[in-house]
């Protein structure tokens, strides 16, 4: 358990390659949601710190980073990926203490995924280029694909380490410098990766890390005139707010926001595989996953049987100590989030849903913000539990009748982040994938990610893409050059 672990040193801001206190001297405490105990204190960034970090990033952009050969940038970023892998044990432990997720996830999935981002985008550093264009024989026409300058990255608490990779790796590979604001609830792994970045050879100022409240540090970053672009992952509510805040400086913005993703099980699917996919689709990451398959659509002919098996599986998924390698369901990130999740279970029950598994808080060793794996049956798509993002281990199961009904229900949402389709009929699988309004569709799978595959939302799940070659468009701009040859 946590109390037998080495103490975690206080966190400081990373500005211009140095660990510093905030200008105000303010700090905050970060807590372990599994034990409710303080982990350590962390410097809390304010507007003055944001200003210093943005200036350091600009100087690095105009100085060493901007002047570095892409092949040298590539080497540094690849080394950072290696260092993340080499330190996966420590990073996993920090992430688990800060966020409450099982060490199985943080060490064996999240740390390798963060490393995967740096390895993958390191390769792109030498392959981002413009074109020559056959416009007019009297001219030589070419384009330059250039970095934007200073990127502000604002990330959430559900995948702190992975999000550092998703945002920083492509931004840096494209030649930008970054000021990163981790969520106040989970600042520790971002700060550790900042140290590893220096060890990898990233020049001072290229990556600055500023923990602090969104309403202070985040807001200052979005409004700062020296920031060229904001890359944000978080709630739709804050995403909408950032669109307004970014308007004053016509700042580029990409938003990866909430979801209420449909996971559709047809009667002709491999039902054992679908059952596993439905379970991991919602309970992986405690359901605090933007793409969680939180609406399970099950064809009517198999509905009762499928729900019964699902409830049985959910009841076996007991919350346990997140630092135990066998644990698969950890603690909710905070008391506030736990209360939100439990509040939705009540809302669902009042709306007429049937709680067939879980539904309650279940402390581990007498402590912690643990919520049971919860299944709500007999949900209809108009209920709040089917329309609003709960962000916890709560699955709403909705019956449907045939392909058209499944597609209609699936698309009847303000969100459009991801979806799953389970069927052995290949024609049906592709037809449904095309008709779904979602940025990612998994067929006979759920919750797969790779640095090489774009990820982002349709509708109110946001715009712009993280990952894959496509995201590089969002971290670069194109300059057209006309050379008069006459
Ligand atoms: P937020 O959207 O508030 O937080 C995401 C990030 O934005 C954090 O770093 C936060 O900082 C920052 N932020 C908050 N306010 C501002 C602001 N005014 N200007 C700039 N940055 C800001 O998510 P919450 O943590 O409040 O979670 C609430 C709900 O959002 C969840 O229940 C869930 O439904 C959804 N959510 C969705 C996520 C997704 O990946 N789609 C991720 C996280 C949450 P700080 O936290 O330090 O104040």
């Amino acid at each position: 358990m946590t109390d037998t672990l080495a103490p975690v040193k206080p966190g400081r801001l990373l500005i211009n390659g140095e660990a510093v206190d905030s200008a105000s001297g303010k700090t905050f405490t970060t807590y372990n949601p599994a034990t409710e105990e303080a982990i350590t204190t962390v410097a809390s960034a304010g507007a003055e710190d944001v200003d210093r970090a943005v200036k350091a990033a600009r100087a690095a952009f105009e100085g060493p980073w901007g002047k570095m050969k892409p092949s040298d940038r590539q080497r540094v970023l690849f080394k950072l990926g290696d260092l993340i892998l080499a330190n996966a044990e420590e990073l996993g432990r920090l992430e688990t203490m800060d966020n409450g997720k099982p060490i199985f996830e943080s060490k064996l999935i999240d740390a390798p995924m963060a490393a995967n981002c740096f390895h993958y985008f390191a390769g792109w550093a030498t392959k981002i280029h413009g074109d020559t264009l056959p416009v007019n024989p009297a001219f030589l026409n070419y384009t330059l694909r250039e970095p934007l300058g200073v990127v502000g990255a604002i990330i959430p608490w559900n995948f702190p380490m992975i999000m550092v990779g998703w945002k920083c790796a492509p931004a840096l590979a494209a030649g930008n410098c970054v000021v990163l604001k981790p969520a106040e609830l989970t600042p520790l792994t971002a700060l550790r990766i900042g140290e590893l970045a220096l060890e990898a050879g990233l020049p001072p100022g290229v990556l600055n890390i500023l923990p602090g409240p969104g309403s202070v540090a985040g807001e200052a970053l979005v409004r700062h005139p020296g920031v060229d672009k904001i890359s944000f992952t978080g709630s739709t509510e804050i995403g909408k707010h950032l669109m307004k805040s970014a308007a004053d400086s016509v700042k580029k913005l990409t938003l990866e926001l909430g979801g209420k993703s449909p996971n559709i099980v047809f009667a002709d699917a491999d039902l054992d595989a679908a059952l596993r996919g439905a379970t991991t689709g919602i309970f992986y990451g405690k359901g605090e996953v933007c793409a969680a398959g939180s609406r399970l659509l099950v064809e009517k002919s198999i509905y009762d049987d499928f729900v019964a098996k699902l409830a049985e599986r959910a009841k076996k998924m007991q919350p346990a100590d997140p630092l135990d390698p066998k644990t698969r369901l950890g603690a909710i990130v905070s008391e506030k989030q736990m209360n939100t999740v439990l509040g939705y279970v009540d809302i669902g029950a009042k709306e007429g849903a049937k709680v067939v598994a879980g539904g309650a808080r279940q402390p581990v060793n007498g402590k912690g913000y643990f919520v049971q794996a919860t299944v709500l049956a007999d949900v209809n798509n108009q209920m709040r539990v089917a329309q609003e993002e709960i962000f916890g281990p709560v699955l709403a199961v909705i019956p449907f009748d045939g392909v058209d009904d499944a597609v209609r229900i699936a698309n009847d949402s303000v969100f459009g982040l991801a979806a799953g389709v389970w069927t052995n009929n290949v024609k049906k699988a592709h037809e449904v994938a095309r008709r779904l309004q979602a940025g990612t569709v998994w067929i006979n799978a759920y919750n797969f990610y790779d640095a090489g595959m774009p990820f982002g939302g349709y509708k109110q799940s946001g715009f712009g893409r993280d990952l894959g070659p496509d995201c590089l468009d969002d971290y670069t701009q194109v300059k057209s050059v006309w050379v008069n040859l006459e």
Side-chain angles (χ1 to χ4, degrees):
M1 285 296 293
T2 314
D3 53 3
T4 63
L5 297 167
V8 176
K9 68 178 181 190
R12 299 171 86 199
L13 314 180
L14 178 66
I15 301 179
N16 205 22
E18 284 177 22
V20 294
D21 295 326
S22 61
S24 68
K26 278 190 192 160
T27 60
F28 63 91
T29 302
T30 184
Y31 291 88
N32 181 337
T35 61
E36 304 174 40
E37 285 163 9
I39 305 172
T40 190
T41 56
V42 179
S44 182
E48 204 178 314
D49 305 298
V50 169
D51 189 52
R52 278 175 58 215
V54 172
K55 285 182 176 142
R58 178 66 56 191
F61 177 69
E62 286 167 4
W65 195 239
K67 291 182 183 141
M68 196 181 269
K69 282 199 300 193
S71 55
D72 290 336
R73 282 207 311 265
Q74 170 174 316
R75 212 173 3 257
V76 173
L77 294 177
F78 202 88
K79 186 158 181 209
L80 177 52
D82 285 349
L83 285 172
I84 291 173
L85 280 184
N87 289 275
E89 176 84 41
E90 182 201 355
L91 286 165
R93 187 175 72 86
L94 280 176
E95 193 87 313
T96 285
M97 288 168 69
D98 223 7
N99 168 281
K101 65 172 66 191
I103 189 89
F104 162 76
E105 295 180 12
S106 52
K107 180 182 151 190
L108 299 180
I109 297 168
D110 294 9
M113 175 69 188
N116 174 232
C117 290
F118 286 99
H119 287 146
Y120 173 81
F121 284 106
W124 271 107
T126 48
K127 293 159 200 77
I128 298 168
H129 58 79
D131 288 310
T132 53
L133 300 159
V135 171
N136 181 337
F139 285 87
L140 167 65
N141 289 74
Y142 65 93
T143 57
L144 294 171
R145 186 162 281 279
E146 299 180 330
L148 302 173
V150 177
V151 170
I154 300 179
I155 60 173
W157 41 257
N158 53 341
F159 288 96
M161 185 165 26
I162 285 186
M163 286 297 130
V164 173
W166 282 33
K167 303 295 185 194
C168 298
L172 297 173
N176 301 284
C177 292
V178 174
V179 179
L180 173 86
K181 195 207 85 64
E184 208 178 356
L185 285 172
T186 54
L188 298 179
T189 46
L191 289 173
R192 182 69 186 113
I193 292 175
E195 291 174 350
L196 295 176
L198 295 175
E199 197 180 323
L202 214 65
V206 175
L207 173 61
N208 305 274
I209 301 182
L210 302 183
S215 56
V216 180
E219 197 75 34
L221 195 57
V222 177
R223 292 190 178 275
H224 199 293
V227 174
D228 299 288
K229 179 224 163 88
I230 293 287
S231 179
F232 173 79
T233 295
S235 63
T236 297
E237 184 197 348
I238 297 295
K240 287 178 183 172
H241 171 73
L242 297 197
M243 287 180 81
K244 292 178 196 146
S245 307
D248 284 343
S249 51
V250 196
K251 199 164 268 125
K252 290 173 185 60
L253 191 63
T254 46
L255 301 175
E256 197 262 275
L257 307 175
K260 194 74 197 178
S261 299
N263 196 4
I264 307 170
V265 182
F266 288 98
D268 59 7
D270 172 342
L271 294 179
D272 288 338
L275 198 58
R276 285 194 299 277
T279 316
T280 57
I282 184 64
F283 299 130
Y284 182 81
K286 315 159 254 165
E288 294 168 344
V289 179
C290 49
S294 52
R295 280 189 299 154
L296 186 71
L297 276 50
V298 180
E299 197 151 23
K300 269 185 187 150
S301 58
I302 56 162
Y303 187 86
D304 290 339
D305 191 41
F306 200 84
V307 167
K309 287 188 175 140
L310 201 58
E312 211 177 291
R313 260 184 104 86
K315 283 175 192 160
K316 284 190 190 141
M317 276 202 83
Q318 291 294 309
D321 176 7
L323 285 166
D324 182 334
K326 292 191 294 300
T327 297
R328 294 294 179 269
L329 188 61
I332 300 295
V333 72
S334 66
E335 185 173 18
K336 180 167 171 250
Q337 186 65 19
M338 176 188 71
N339 290 334
T340 302
V341 172
L342 294 173
Y344 271 109
V345 176
D346 288 345
I347 290 168
K350 284 195 189 107
E351 284 177 313
K354 206 158 115 200
V355 184
V356 294
R361 182 180 184 176
Q362 185 175 312
V364 172
N365 301 320
K367 282 186 178 167
Y369 311 126
F370 295 88
V371 173
Q372 295 167 333
T374 300
V375 179
L376 305 179
D378 299 342
V379 174
N380 78 57
N381 202 49
Q382 303 317 313
M383 293 179 182
R384 283 183 63 192
V385 288
Q387 289 292 329
E388 297 174 20
E389 188 174 47
I390 298 175
F391 231 58
V394 179
L395 181 62
V397 196
I398 304 168
F400 71 87
D401 203 0
V403 168
D404 289 344
D405 198 33
V407 171
R408 181 188 60 76
I409 296 170
N411 288 340
D412 180 14
S413 167
V414 295
F415 298 113
L417 193 55
V421 183
W422 298 85
T423 174
N424 275 333
N425 180 329
V426 77
K427 184 170 164 289
K428 190 194 284 183
H430 290 289
E431 181 200 333
V432 173
R434 279 195 200 177
R435 291 173 65 187
L436 289 172
Q437 296 161 352
T440 292
V441 179
W442 289 287
I443 296 174
N444 295 331
Y446 207 90
N447 259 343
F448 279 75
Y449 305 87
D450 190 276
M453 200 64 176
F455 184 82
Y458 280 28
K459 303 196 278 188
Q460 289 192 28
S461 291
F463 51 81
R465 290 292 174 267
D466 285 307
L467 307 181
D470 300 74
C471 85
L472 293 165
D473 289 347
D474 293 323
Y475 289 108
T476 53
Q477 52 198 341
V478 174
K479 181 179 283 168
S480 295
V481 182
W482 294 71
V483 186
N484 187 347
L485 300 177
E486 291 197 332

